[in-house]
Amino acid sequence: MPTTPAPPPSPTTASIPGQASEPSTRGRPAQPDQARPTAPSAEAPAAPHRSGVALVASLLGFTVITIDVSAVNIALPAIRDSLSGGMAGLQWVVDAYTLMFAALMLSAGALADRAGARRAYAWGVALFTLASLGCALAPGIGVLVGSRVAQGAAAAIVMPASLALIRQAYEDARARARAIALWTVGGSVAMAAGPVLGGLLTDSAGWRAVFLLNLPVGAVILGLLARVPRSPRRPAALDGGGQLTAVVALAGLAFAVIEGGHLGWTSGPVLTAAALALASGCAFRVVEARHRQPMVPPGMLVDRRVAVPLAVGFAVNAAFYGGIFLLGLYYQQLRGMSAIAAGLMFVPMSAVVTATNLVSPRLAERIGRRPVIVAGQLIFTGAMLAMLPLTAHTPVWLVLVLLLPLSVGGALAVPALTALMMDAVPQERAGTASGLLNSLRQTGGALAVALFGSLLSGPGGGFSLPGMRIGLLAVAALLLATAALSRLLLPRG
């Protein structure tokens, strides 16, 4: 269940746990989509009806990707029964998507700049649609995971390009703010609808229907894009070396955490993956230090107003995505709920997340961002601890009450930390900063799923309550640590 992006630099938008960012134009002049010897010029405002078409196309892409993520979480037990992938296979079904989304987010904005928003968005939607077909037709867990990798790569292109398309379509700042607000509300609605839709499709037509649903939506989006004006191209450097080392580092780390719980933490493949992740991480730092226009400027990470929000974003998404993964399995494997019943259990939580998103910016204005960020993490810590007593026989009403802190914590903290980070960087670095923040948040979610999956598999493949509690305590400790960092290092205002 993703959260909203941090579009640079102005209108403040709501935020729900994990999405993308609007690419920065890096302060450079736009180049026409067709090669002509004319001087660069500002793009003419789009006609009102074409602006509406662009908004609908962007909203549909964002919605289908959000629904896909949350719906797949509910379909996991059915996928396991159908493809016999085991817990490790289920972890890869989730993390293959999330890791590619996280890693490629670092350079997706630059790709949208170079290709033009409309073209990049069309590429991303087409790839996501084809990858969804691959998921639906997958004969085994390996093909499904491979198709999920392609879906994650496509989503990394779609997210920033969709926001850039809106920015292009609406020249007026107020109209653009309203369009982005609608885009955000669409994400909130999709987040709430995803588990229910996933459960309904899984129970009535099978888990493959969750992916087949993306095909007609993708076709509609591509049809709408034919009516959207061409986007300008902007010069933007692509950091191939940094992108490659980032992907290898994240994949190695995820493999070590996922397979460590199944093969053993000292097994050869796990140690090799861990060593590869470490070496690739070091290589990433070297490449970024030497690149003229690195994806992640080293100087940016020195500012505590950037470094602390990155750490907090990682911890908050670890708690949120780890909690969603855990609960989807808890409802179905331990309590024996149907897929549709499990999906309905997420609706109250999604509604509270949306409401808290709207309150958080106003609260930050009144009492300051630091108190809101710290409070959000402490509430999230309480959410992890509140789930410790859960058993197979805990009353359903009590489960819903205990999950309220999970709904509030991240939704309270993320908008404030995003605004703080955006204010800490120059305007020309806003796209880079927001892309980095969203990448770290996605990475936190992926590693939390890897950790929880390694701990949740009990004897005979059953759901392990002791493993669940160890994972909850680990995430709670991480949140307490980042809350302390926030309290000590962030400015008071």
Side-chain angles (χ1 to χ4, degrees), residues 22 24 29 47 123 154 167 225 236 250 274 279 292 318 420 475:
E22 183 177 355
S24 170
W123 289 348
R167 190 171 190 173
L225 286 177
L250 289 178
R292 289 197 331 173
L420 175 68
V475 175

Side-chain angles (χ1 to χ4, degrees), residues 218-231:
V220 170
I221 295 172
L222 292 175
L224 290 172
L225 286 177
R227 300 172 56 193
V228 175
R230 288 188 175 187
S231 304

Side-chain angles (χ1 to χ4, degrees), residues 106 295-315 369 373 414 416-427 429-441 482 485-486 489-491:
L106 294 172
M295 293 188 303
V296 183
M300 181 182 291
L301 302 180
V302 176
D303 190 338
R304 61 186 180 180
R305 294 173 300 168
V306 174
V308 173
L310 290 177
V312 175
F314 179 95
R369 291 169 180 166
I373 293 171
V414 169
L417 72 88
T418 301
L420 175 68
M421 185 168 170
M422 290 300 99
D423 286 350
V425 298
Q427 180 175 349
R429 290 294 187 186
T432 300
S434 55
L436 181 59
L437 174 60
N438 284 291
S439 179
L440 262 291
R441 288 164 61 191
T482 54
L485 285 176
S486 304
L489 299 180
L490 290 181

Side-chain angles (χ1 to χ4, degrees), residues 159-260:
M159 284 299 192
S162 69
L163 276 171
L165 205 61
I166 293 175
R167 190 171 190 173
Q168 164 194 321
Y170 292 89
E171 293 292 326
D172 179 73
R174 289 186 178 182
R176 185 167 61 246
R178 287 194 296 269
I180 292 176
L182 287 173
W183 186 89
T184 302
V185 170
S188 298
V189 172
M191 185 181 70
V196 180
L197 186 59
L200 180 62
L201 289 172
T202 301
D203 277 350
S204 61
W207 64 267
R208 297 179 191 273
V210 173
F211 297 105
L212 287 173
L213 180 65
N214 298 335
L215 273 59
V217 179
V220 170
I221 295 172
L222 292 175
L224 290 172
L225 286 177
R227 300 172 56 193
V228 175
R230 288 188 175 187
S231 304
R233 296 180 180 182
R234 299 179 173 90
L238 291 177
D239 183 359
Q243 185 62 83
L244 177 62
T245 51
V247 170
V248 174
L250 289 178
L253 184 58
F255 183 94
V257 177
I258 290 175
E259 300 298 337

Side-chain angles (χ1 to χ4, degrees), residues 56-278:
V56 172
S58 298
L59 181 59
L60 280 176
F62 178 47
T63 299
V64 74
I65 288 173
T66 305
I67 286 178
D68 186 84
V69 174
S70 53
V72 168
N73 269 292
I74 297 300
L76 288 176
I79 292 173
R80 180 203 59 196
D81 295 341
S82 174
L83 302 182
S84 303
M87 182 61 77
L90 298 186
Q91 290 168 269
W92 280 116
V93 168
V94 176
D95 275 357
Y97 177 95
T98 309
L99 287 170
M100 285 303 293
F101 186 41
L104 296 182
M105 182 66 65
L106 294 172
S107 58
L111 177 62
D113 280 348
R114 288 171 65 94
R118 190 188 74 165
R119 181 177 295 178
Y121 190 58
W123 289 348
V125 169
L127 177 58
F128 189 85
T129 304
L130 290 174
S132 296
L133 179 61
C135 291
L137 299 179
I141 199 73
V143 175
L144 177 58
V145 170
S147 298
R148 290 286 283 168
V149 169
Q151 273 193 318
I157 299 171
V158 166
M159 284 299 192
S162 69
L163 276 171
L165 205 61
I166 293 175
R167 190 171 190 173
Q168 164 194 321
Y170 292 89
E171 293 292 326
D172 179 73
R174 289 186 178 182
R176 185 167 61 246
R178 287 194 296 269
I180 292 176
L182 287 173
W183 186 89
T184 302
V185 170
S188 298
V189 172
M191 185 181 70
V196 180
L197 186 59
L200 180 62
L201 289 172
T202 301
D203 277 350
S204 61
W207 64 267
R208 297 179 191 273
V210 173
F211 297 105
L212 287 173
L213 180 65
N214 298 335
L215 273 59
V217 179
V220 170
I221 295 172
L222 292 175
L224 290 172
L225 286 177
R227 300 172 56 193
V228 175
R230 288 188 175 187
S231 304
R233 296 180 180 182
R234 299 179 173 90
L238 291 177
D239 183 359
Q243 185 62 83
L244 177 62
T245 51
V247 170
V248 174
L250 289 178
L253 184 58
F255 183 94
V257 177
I258 290 175
E259 300 298 337
H262 306 284
L263 300 178
W265 297 104
T266 58
S267 64
V270 170
L271 292 177
T272 300
L276 180 62
L278 180 61

